[in-house]
Amino acid sequence: MAMNPSQISSKLDLVLPTVEMPGRYTGGELNQIKKDWQKAALKTALFFPEIYDLGMSNLGLTILYDLINQQPDFLAERVYLPWIDMEEAMRKADIPLFALESRRVLTEFDLVAVSLPYESLYTNFLNGLDLAGLPLKSEERGDNHPLIISGGHATFNPEPVAPFLDAVVIGEGEQVIIEILESLQEVLGASRQAKLLALSHIPGVYIPSFYKAVYHQDGIFSYLEKTIPEAPDKVLKRIVPTLPPPPIHPVVPYIDIVHNRAPLEIMRGCTRGCRFCHAGVITRPVRERPVKEILEAMEALIPNTGYSEIGLLSLSSSDYTQIVPLIEAINQRFAGQNIAISLPSLRIESVSVDLMEALSGKRRGGFTLAPEAATERLRKVINKPISDEQLIDTAREIFERGWHTIKLYFMIGQPSESLADVQAIADLSKRVLDAGRQAIGNRAKVHTSVSTFVPKPHTPFQWAPAASQKEITEKLDLLKSEVRGKGLKLNWNDPRETHFEAWLARGDRRLADVIFHAWENGAKFDAWQEHFNFEIWLEAFSDLGIDPAFYSTRQRSTSEAFPWDHIDSGVKKSFLLEDYQWSLEEKLRPDCRGNCFSCGILPTYNDLRHEHPGSLWLCPEVKQHTSQQIPPSNK
């Protein structure tokens, strides 16, 4: 028998005083939604498999929480993973994983919707299921277990975790989550198989158990074979034609979290076409929120939350076509209220003097720019068309307008990169610092952060190999010796983390056994440096007789089938291959806001476009092929 909420509460009264940050586990925050359990036809547990501090900053979960709870027949509650000390206490006291709102265990819900935005959460996901008392593998669950459904960016290659999932949502969840709940409402009391069959008819929903993987003799993936005829050959990602109204009553935490501010999405999608960027492909096409709607949302968010900082979110906030009028309108409307605005993602080529002037009243200690590569040759390879002088001039303008620190983000290990390209990172960092010192003297600082390239599915570089650990270490050693001294700071990530991410990002179903084996041996919180244990993963590969290099440093043939080919991102594989070939030729592809390259988005969403003629789409294909009216300010 499942433990009831009062029993859990009694045990928590004894446990919480003994753990770090008990506010992670209490619930009851401002704007929490607690609906009548008995009146809800379907109950959803929204599970983010990380600690509260990180999960509460996830905008996707905030949106789904708001949307589901607006429906009279449905309820949604939040579930996060306990930290090490709390997990130990819960297992010792026999407390299962529970939802914050009702303190009910996950086995009482009809649906557990798991957010998987990145691959390092896979072992956390398994740990959460185990802590909840749920069978880890889909085939082991019965009719009385909740369905385990996942979504998020990492699920655009769902195969490494396919055996653990009953269903996967591909793409944006705002509409499809309600369709899923309505479909399940119609088959309440039916068998688990009947529920999965019903879900398989919903566009964008993938049922892994309806397919089995077939491999060539050399171990390379061949294709997915359908186990039931009704399963679709391909699963097309879901997309909302317009951004739905933003949540204006987000839950306000008791404790400090990673992004302790009110989140407000101003734009979704990107047209820049950086060849390494997974998000830039899978979030196409670009959709912008009107300035008026943003201002109205801010006016509601501030009194509803008490926050004095609003995060204007998108992949690149400076690419929002009305960014300067928006910031100016915010400055005017909220003058004297001490409201801070954060633009966490700015692009060098779209950071204008006008934008910096508009932001000057909101300035903070650091200003972040992401050149990604330090030579113009390598920027052509990755399709990041900016010049050194453009970067230096932008940096100088930033320093002159009152910022003291510029953070530069670079990536090493990219295709065709040489040691000269890496040396250029150090040289360019010093040039930016020199520009700062000319502007504001010795107060100027440059913080250089270096990550390592991971080839991702559905990108032009999905055919490219990851650099070996030896190569990465050699390049990092060079940077450590060069990027040093007064005003300079270097941050980097562990080369082993790069290979770990590459294994899981490009894995097939055989990786599920590796993940399970690693979790059994203690792997969890793999995104945390102090808990990431590379040796556990190597042992898992070794014990199962699988070569990890097969998934990380192996060059893919252009004729090779990928384990994720049945997932349709809306961008044609032939387009991605052409772009990869262009990268080998160091050939740039311009921003597609002004040039249509027929990536596939228009025919993919042609029907959707006609169903929603009032949508604000900025994809040039749509603008060229439809008679709908785009507001003049967005042309």
Side-chain angles (χ1 to χ4, degrees), residues 75-282:
L75 70 74
E77 298 187 355
R78 297 163 297 138
V79 182
Y80 305 103
L81 203 64
W83 186 236
I84 302 296
D85 61 340
M86 182 63 174
E87 180 190 344
E88 182 180 347
M90 288 173 66
R91 291 190 184 276
K92 186 176 180 180
D94 197 26
I95 301 173
L97 191 62
F98 58 91
L100 291 181
E101 281 74 9
S102 67
R103 293 190 173 174
R104 292 181 182 270
V105 300
L106 268 61
T107 52
E108 293 189 69
F109 289 83
D110 301 290
L111 186 69
V112 176
V114 187
S115 179
L116 292 174
Y118 38 91
E119 296 83 4
S120 56
L121 294 181
Y122 290 164
T123 54
N124 283 5
F125 162 49
L126 296 190
N127 204 44
L129 293 184
D130 181 68
L131 192 55
L134 287 166
L136 270 59
K137 295 189 176 179
S138 174
E139 63 185 12
E140 297 170 353
R141 298 181 198 125
D143 293 343
N144 294 326
H145 288 119
L147 293 182
I148 310 299
I149 299 182
S150 182
H153 284 197
T155 57
F156 274 78
N157 176 20
E159 295 309 288
V161 286
F164 311 119
L165 294 167
D166 297 317
V168 182
V169 172
I170 306 300
E172 298 168 351
E174 288 97 335
Q175 291 177 338
V176 70
I177 188 62
I178 304 302
E179 294 172 21
I180 287 171
L181 292 172
E182 290 174 343
S183 177
L184 291 177
Q185 190 175 18
E186 293 177 1
V187 291
L188 278 176
S191 68
R192 182 172 169 278
Q193 186 72 1
K195 292 175 182 177
L196 293 179
L197 190 59
L199 293 184
S200 72
H201 297 306
I202 300 174
V205 177
Y206 168 54
I207 311 297
S209 61
F210 290 177
Y211 306 80
K212 67 177 181 179
V214 178
Y215 302 89
H216 295 292
Q217 286 189 345
D218 58 4
I220 293 176
F221 173 82
S222 179
Y223 65 97
L224 281 186
E225 181 180 308
K226 293 193 288 188
T227 59
I228 67 166
E230 299 95 326
D233 294 327
K234 282 202 168 192
V235 181
L236 174 63
K237 79 170 180 183
R238 290 296 296 264
I239 186 171
V240 292
T242 55
L243 299 183
I248 56 175
H249 293 89
V251 179
V252 181
Y254 287 134
I255 65 172
D256 194 23
I257 60 174
V258 174
H259 299 303
N260 209 357
R261 63 193 179 205
L264 180 52
E265 186 180 25
I266 63 173
M267 181 176 82
R268 192 175 296 177
C270 182
T271 57
R272 294 287 181 169
C274 297
R275 291 174 176 135
F276 57 81
C277 185
H278 181 251
V281 173
I282 66 171

Side-chain angles (χ1 to χ4, degrees), residues 329-566:
I330 290 172
N331 289 341
Q332 181 178 358
R333 178 127 1 150
F334 300 98
Q337 296 186 37
N338 197 31
I339 300 301
I341 301 301
S342 62
L343 298 173
S345 180
L346 297 174
R347 196 182 300 275
I348 295 167
E349 57 269 46
S350 56
V351 175
S352 65
V353 173
D354 289 340
L355 175 57
M356 285 185 277
E357 292 285 5
L359 285 172
S360 61
K362 309 293 182 185
R363 63 177 174 264
R364 290 172 165 261
F367 200 109
T368 301
L369 299 173
E372 305 294 356
T375 62
E376 294 184 26
R377 181 201 70 81
L378 193 55
R379 291 190 204 115
K380 290 179 182 178
V381 172
I382 67 175
N383 204 48
K384 192 90 171 178
I386 57 172
S387 67
D388 288 356
E389 293 310 314
Q390 191 176 5
L391 172 61
I392 299 299
D393 290 345
T394 300
R396 185 179 295 109
E397 294 279 1
I398 292 169
F399 282 121
E400 288 176 349
R401 280 160 177 77
W403 280 271
H404 298 163
T405 303
I406 288 182
K407 301 174 184 177
L408 299 176
Y409 279 93
F410 293 96
M411 188 181 296
I412 61 171
Q414 301 187 88
S416 82
E417 181 185 65
S418 67
L419 284 178
D421 294 308
V422 179
Q423 176 65 49
I425 294 175
D427 297 339
L428 193 55
S429 298
K430 294 173 184 176
R431 288 183 63 190
V432 171
L433 180 61
D434 287 342
R437 285 176 172 168
Q438 292 170 18
I440 62 171
N442 288 332
R443 292 176 298 164
K445 294 182 176 65
V446 172
H447 293 175
T448 300
S449 291
V450 178
S451 63
T452 308
F453 165 71
V454 174
K456 291 281 189 170
H458 304 286
T459 69
F461 284 161
Q462 63 185 342
W463 287 275
S468 69
Q469 286 192 56
K470 181 181 178 181
E471 290 176 281
I472 299 170
T473 301
E474 182 182 15
K475 291 172 180 179
L476 284 176
D477 287 343
L478 171 61
L479 290 172
K480 291 174 189 177
S481 67
E482 292 287 333
V483 184
R484 55 192 301 182
K486 184 175 175 58
L488 289 172
K489 181 181 178 182
L490 178 68
N491 296 309
W492 64 92
N493 68 308
D494 188 332
R496 298 174 301 176
E497 295 171 3
T498 300
H499 282 229
F500 162 74
E501 187 178 342
W503 299 332
L504 300 183
R506 297 204 291 181
D508 49 44
R509 289 201 183 187
R510 291 171 294 193
L511 263 290
D513 290 335
V514 176
I515 295 167
F516 182 80
H517 198 65
W519 169 76
E520 278 192 313
N521 289 337
K524 59 186 173 184
F525 289 113
D526 293 300
W528 297 73
Q529 288 185 347
E530 66 267 37
H531 291 287
F532 175 61
N533 190 325
F534 193 65
E535 295 305 316
I536 285 179
W537 287 92
L538 290 181
E539 288 171 11
F541 276 102
S542 177
D543 290 348
L544 294 167
I546 297 175
D547 179 11
F550 179 84
Y551 297 99
S552 54
T553 57
R554 180 174 64 87
Q555 173 77 44
R556 277 17 177 209
S557 163
T558 57
S559 61
E560 181 173 330
F562 292 127
W564 53 87
D565 277 348
H566 60 294

